[in-house]
Amino acid sequence: MKTAVKIFSVLLALIMAFSAVACAGTQKNNEKTDEPVTTNAPDTEPDEVQFEKDNLPSDIKSLYDGKTVTGLVWEDVYFPEFYIEEPSGDIVSNSIYKRNLNVSERLGIKLNFVEQKGSYNYQGDFVNYAYKSISGSEQAFDYIGGYSSATAALILKNVLTDLANEEYAPYLDYDKPWWPKFLIEEASVRGQVRAISGDISTNLIYMMFGIYFNKELLDTFNVEDPYPIAEAGNWTIDQLIEMAKVCYTNEDDESRRYYGFYSTHNYPWYHTCGFKYVEHDSDGDIYASDDIEDERVHSLIVKLCDFLYTGEREEPTNTTFKDGKIAFTLCEMYYAASDLRSVEFSFGFLPPPKYDENQESYITCLSFPHTLYAIPKDVKDSVMSSAVLEALASESYRTVSPVLFEDALKVKYSDIGDAYSSRMYDYTRAGVTFDMGRMFGMCLFDDQTWAAFSSCISDNNPNWASKAKGIYTLVKNRLKKLTKAMTAD
């Protein structure tokens, strides 16, 4: 079963499909503005759920009333995230509209958006545009929301503010659930953080990798329900392989053939199985992880290659998960919203499996097209910017994310009749990793981290040891540049 990494070609089609929504209403000079208005957006909130509130002061409007807050954002974002011109029939877009309305009214501000192309093919242009503005002290932007690798590249150029500094960004509260628990632990150097993400980015939610499964196929083959296993913390890659093998039928007639597992994505397994490229010592300094040369990584690749290629199992031809003939697949959460809306079978969603039961928690890898937010060093008022980002993240957590969950998985977040679904989503969201080997994979490590691991599996060549030493050395040497950029004044 030969697999290949095709994420960008798949998402290119999605860009075309969603561009009319994502780019609607652009004004002159690529600026968009959300005025604080009194008209209410359609009610898109889920049923009553006890969502945590933020700690922004009750009188915060008195501090910023009448201010205009300008964000530099990537125009060719894959799914709507920053700005919606007006309410429509799309519940996710309506929730973004309502979020912006609520934040604008709460802080008394006008949200203004300057758009520049910044996706995979245009990230260099975005970086150059932002760098020219910041290095020239134009004070044009209060915050930046860029394609993940573009924001990471700006970190290396030392033009972004430390978002863990309470003097510059006092309102950002990383103990709150809208900021992933691994964010500060993994995306910092000596306690300094230059870019953040979480519920504030709809594309982060959409780009979370998880396991989809066909409930009806599992019933047909008498496979145990994986939900209770995952709930107990025992959902492992061995469990996935065991279940998937049961669902494979070796029929000459393709129409009667079923497949246990198929995916075009291989690189997430390194992260979801608990391995890292970069770790931190007790002082917060970063170093190349010993995981890179760990025998368990080699064992994982051998296990996956054996599962995918050994025996008579073949990759499906002209068949995908949505056709109802594949029991399990690894894909991003957007897949449900884009491809599974009209399927005739019931499907479920699980967090990526652990390496084994000794792994402490489920870990979620992100596809690159998510947004990392930052505050430029030439900002006029970084304290205000931190308040805006916290308000947007907090409001997204309560207003946008539950609706996005419902839109993708067709289950209300508050539906106690399918409580497993919401908890699986919570596990997946809480486990998002910001390993710097992935975060800076394009702009610092020349794609030699994630891509090298992926090719071992897609090429059915489990000789990881021949690559691991070189990758370890590369990461070790390049981290010096990252440390310098992250800790500079």
Side-chain angles (χ1 to χ4, degrees):
M1 185 192 301
K2 189 173 183 179
T3 56
V5 179
K6 300 178 181 176
I7 178 63
F8 293 115
S9 61
V10 173
L11 287 172
L12 181 59
L14 286 171
I15 296 173
M16 298 174 65
F18 285 88
S19 60
V21 177
C23 301
T26 303
Q27 300 176 355
K28 188 176 180 180
N29 296 326
N30 289 336
E31 292 192 8
K32 300 177 179 179
T33 303
D34 269 3
E35 299 278 359
V37 294
T38 57
T39 304
N40 288 326
D43 185 6
T44 58
E45 289 185 319
D47 297 337
E48 283 298 319
V49 179
Q50 295 300 314
F51 290 110
E52 190 169 341
K53 301 294 182 66
D54 59 53
N55 290 324
L56 294 176
S58 58
D59 63 345
I60 194 166
K61 186 172 184 177
S62 65
L63 300 176
Y64 305 119
D65 196 18
K67 298 280 189 180
T68 295
V69 177
T70 300
L72 172 63
V73 299
W74 53 310
E75 178 183 7
D76 42 352
V77 64
Y78 290 172
F79 293 94
E81 176 167 335
F82 308 110
Y83 176 88
I84 298 298
E85 182 75 28
E86 59 185 17
S88 67
D90 180 76
I91 63 172
V92 175
S93 293
N94 287 347
S95 68
I96 296 171
Y97 179 92
K98 185 169 186 175
R99 175 202 66 190
N100 289 358
L101 176 67
N102 290 347
V103 171
S104 295
E105 291 181 338
R106 183 183 182 192
L107 275 62
I109 61 175
K110 179 172 66 176
L111 290 172
N112 183 52
F113 301 88
V114 175
E115 295 184 317
Q116 292 291 321
K117 286 186 176 181
S119 60
Y120 179 70
N121 290 326
Y122 298 98
Q123 55 186 306
D125 295 337
F126 185 95
V127 170
N128 291 337
Y129 180 86
Y131 179 74
K132 180 180 179 182
S133 174
I134 302 169
S135 62
S137 299
E138 295 178 4
Q139 296 187 313
F141 308 114
D142 297 291
Y143 68 89
I144 294 172
Y147 179 88
S148 63
S149 294
T151 307
L154 287 172
I155 292 175
L156 294 176
K157 290 183 176 294
N158 188 26
V159 291
L160 303 179
T161 297
D162 175 16
L163 301 181
N165 187 313
E166 293 188 3
E167 178 182 353
Y168 300 137
Y171 290 118
L172 293 171
D173 188 347
Y174 299 116
D175 291 329
K176 293 296 186 179
W178 41 88
W179 303 117
K181 65 181 181 181
F182 294 130
L183 177 61
I184 301 303
E185 175 186 330
E186 295 182 336
S188 64
V189 177
R190 299 176 191 168
Q192 298 192 38
V193 177
R194 305 288 171 165
I196 55 178
S197 195
D199 284 76
I200 190 173
S201 171
T202 55
N203 284 274
L204 180 141
I205 304 297
Y206 274 124
M207 298 301 160
M208 298 187 309
F209 275 99
I211 298 291
Y212 291 94
F213 67 97
N214 185 322
K215 293 182 179 180
E216 294 174 16
L217 271 188
L218 266 58
D219 287 341
T220 298
F221 287 96
N222 296 315
V223 174
E224 184 180 358
D225 183 357
Y227 274 150
I229 298 173
E231 178 77 3
N234 299 326
W235 175 236
T236 65
I237 197 162
D238 286 339
Q239 286 278 356
L240 170 63
I241 291 173
E242 180 181 343
M243 291 180 176
K245 285 181 176 180
V246 175
C247 300
Y248 179 81
T249 59
N250 187 22
E251 296 284 347
D252 291 335
D253 184 353
E254 175 68 23
S255 65
R256 299 172 58 190
R257 184 175 294 182
Y258 293 94
Y259 302 88
F261 177 86
Y262 180 71
S263 175
T264 59
H265 309 294
N266 296 312
Y267 60 85
W269 297 119
Y270 184 94
H271 297 285
T272 61
C273 287
F275 301 117
K276 296 182 178 182
Y277 291 105
V278 178
E279 294 194 66
H280 295 69
D281 64 20
S282 58
D283 295 321
D285 282 307
I286 50 178
Y287 62 92
S289 174
D290 291 339
D291 288 350
I292 298 171
E293 298 184 279
D294 195 312
E295 175 62 28
R296 293 177 302 154
V297 177
H298 173 73
S299 297
L300 172 63
I301 295 173
V302 169
K303 180 180 295 186
L304 288 169
C305 287
D306 179 68
F307 168 53
L308 298 173
Y309 301 102
T310 300
E312 299 179 352
R313 291 185 294 280
E314 300 176 4
E315 81 172 27
T317 57
N318 301 318
T319 299
T320 64
F321 180 81
K322 70 178 181 180
D323 297 318
K325 291 184 172 293
I326 298 173
F328 295 92
T329 190
L330 171 71
C331 202
E332 300 95 329
M333 192 169 176
Y334 78 79
Y335 182 61
S338 65
D339 284 37
L340 303 182
R341 289 184 180 277
S342 58
V343 296
E344 298 179 355
F345 59 89
S346 298
F347 64 89
F349 183 81
L350 296 159
K354 300 177 180 180
Y355 179 81
D356 58 29
E357 293 181 13
N358 294 320
Q359 186 174 316
E360 183 176 344
S361 61
Y362 298 113
I363 299 175
T364 304
C365 181
L366 295 170
S367 188
F368 282 114
H370 63 279
T371 305
L372 287 177
Y373 287 77
I375 298 176
K377 281 190 171 182
D378 71 331
V379 68
K380 296 176 183 177
D381 186 348
S382 65
V383 175
M384 180 184 72
S385 295
S386 74
V388 173
L389 291 181
E390 182 72 5
L392 286 170
S394 168
E395 192 66 35
S396 293
Y397 162 76
R398 290 185 299 274
T399 304
V400 180
S401 293
V403 175
L404 190 154
F405 166 84
E406 177 184 343
D407 180 60
L409 299 186
K410 302 307 173 195
V411 177
K412 281 187 176 292
Y413 187 83
S414 57
D415 186 357
I416 60 173
D418 194 8
Y420 274 131
S421 292
S422 60
R423 291 202 294 273
M424 296 304 116
Y425 166 76
D426 285 341
Y427 297 150
T428 305
R429 183 178 62 172
V432 169
T433 179
F434 292 89
D435 186 324
M436 288 179 166
R438 172 78 178 162
M439 187 173 175
F440 293 89
M442 292 187 190
C443 60
L444 184 62
F445 300 120
D446 304 328
D447 289 336
Q448 292 302 303
T449 48
W450 64 276
F453 175 86
S454 179
S455 65
C456 283
I457 301 170
S458 60
D459 296 340
N460 190 19
N461 178 16
N463 188 15
W464 174 249
S466 64
K467 300 181 179 182
K469 186 175 181 58
I471 294 171
Y472 179 88
T473 301
L474 172 71
V475 172
K476 179 182 178 181
N477 292 336
R478 297 286 176 87
L479 286 182
K480 298 173 184 177
K481 179 178 179 180
L482 180 56
T483 296
K484 182 178 179 179
M486 288 279 287
T487 58
D489 294 333

